[in-house]
Amino acid sequence: MFPKDKDGNLLFRDVPLSDTWKALAQEKKAGKVRSIGVSNFSAQEIKDMTQDGAEMPAVNQVEAHVFWNQQSLIRDMEVLGITVVAYTPLGNPSLYGERSGIVSDLVLSVAKDSDLTPAQVMLNFLITKGCVVVPKSVTPERIDSNIHFALKLTPEQMAKLEKAPQQRLTNPKIRPGGQPIFDDKRHTDEL
């Protein structure tokens, strides 16, 4: 689907991101789309892309869950006025199993104490942080359970979850030269 070099790395054109963003903004201005956003962008990438006064993205969709809570990025996006949309808010248990965190002792303990399901704990955590969550499920009962629940984690429970060990689940190598999307060595406050 995407052009690749002989080593399997994606091929890119030398089109500045700011030009691509301006083209998307023109489509919005023309009424062809209602809003435009990005996915997996750092605050610095967004600032670089909009430095000439271009409008900010409405959203930045990123991996976020209790075990990769993106605290600094969420803070940076709030400063920029950008909503964070969390993909894999449950840690993708069907793909990552126990590594997803949904069956961790921490989440199970908070679920028991709060009378929420483990999934509701993980969703409640992100919603309380101001994120839009996009959980995946094919089970009607789970879909309903992921939608219809009261946000009731206490500040103490939130603080407990914030101390969870942090590990990104996915970091595909699709940047130029086969580099990963995220340079976690520089995952620090950017603003």
Side-chain angles (χ1 to χ4, degrees):
M1 180 191 304
F2 297 103
K4 295 182 180 183
D5 67 16
K6 63 180 175 53
D7 296 323
N9 297 316
L10 291 177
L11 292 174
F12 295 87
R13 293 187 182 181
D14 289 330
V15 176
L17 187 55
S18 59
D19 289 354
T20 302
W21 187 249
K22 285 177 198 170
L24 286 169
Q26 286 298 329
E27 296 303 305
K28 180 181 174 196
K29 189 175 181 181
K32 294 182 180 178
V33 295
R34 283 185 239 162
S35 63
I36 51 177
V38 295
S39 183
N40 299 319
F41 274 53
S42 70
Q44 188 59 54
E45 288 170 319
I46 291 171
K47 289 188 330 188
D48 291 347
M49 176 181 80
T50 59
Q51 67 184 343
D52 62 354
E55 75 175 276
M56 287 289 177
V59 300
N60 186 9
Q61 186 180 33
V62 299
E63 175 185 347
H65 44 81
V66 169
F67 296 91
W68 189 248
N69 63 37
Q70 301 271 32
Q71 281 186 230
S72 64
L73 182 68
I74 290 169
R75 217 173 18 252
D76 291 346
M77 293 301 103
E78 186 176 0
V79 168
L80 294 171
I82 298 169
T83 300
V84 172
V85 176
Y87 65 77
T88 66
L90 305 178
N92 200 341
S94 64
L95 182 61
Y96 295 105
E98 288 188 22
R99 226 179 106 208
S100 75
I102 199 165
V103 295
S104 70
D105 290 341
L106 172 62
V107 171
L108 293 175
S109 168
V110 172
K112 182 179 177 191
D113 292 345
S114 62
D115 197 31
L116 293 170
T117 68
Q120 290 169 340
V121 167
M122 293 185 79
L123 297 173
N124 190 151
F125 176 79
L126 290 168
I127 293 167
T128 300
K129 296 217 164 270
C131 295
V132 172
V133 295
V134 184
K136 177 191 174 288
S137 182
V138 295
T139 309
E141 296 81 24
R142 285 189 184 148
I143 293 169
D144 187 62
S145 174
N146 289 345
I147 296 170
H148 299 106
F149 70 96
L151 301 178
K152 56 184 178 179
L153 293 180
T154 66
E156 295 78 20
Q157 291 166 328
M158 288 291 293
K160 192 175 181 181
L161 291 168
E162 285 172 354
K163 293 178 183 166
Q166 299 295 297
Q167 180 181 356
R168 182 185 305 282
L169 291 176
T170 184
N171 194 6
K173 295 180 179 184
I174 60 171
R175 295 272 173 141
Q179 295 301 306
I181 290 177
F182 307 102
D183 181 1
D184 289 336
K185 288 178 250 147
R186 66 180 183 104
H187 182 72
T188 58
D189 292 329
E190 293 186 353
L191 293 177

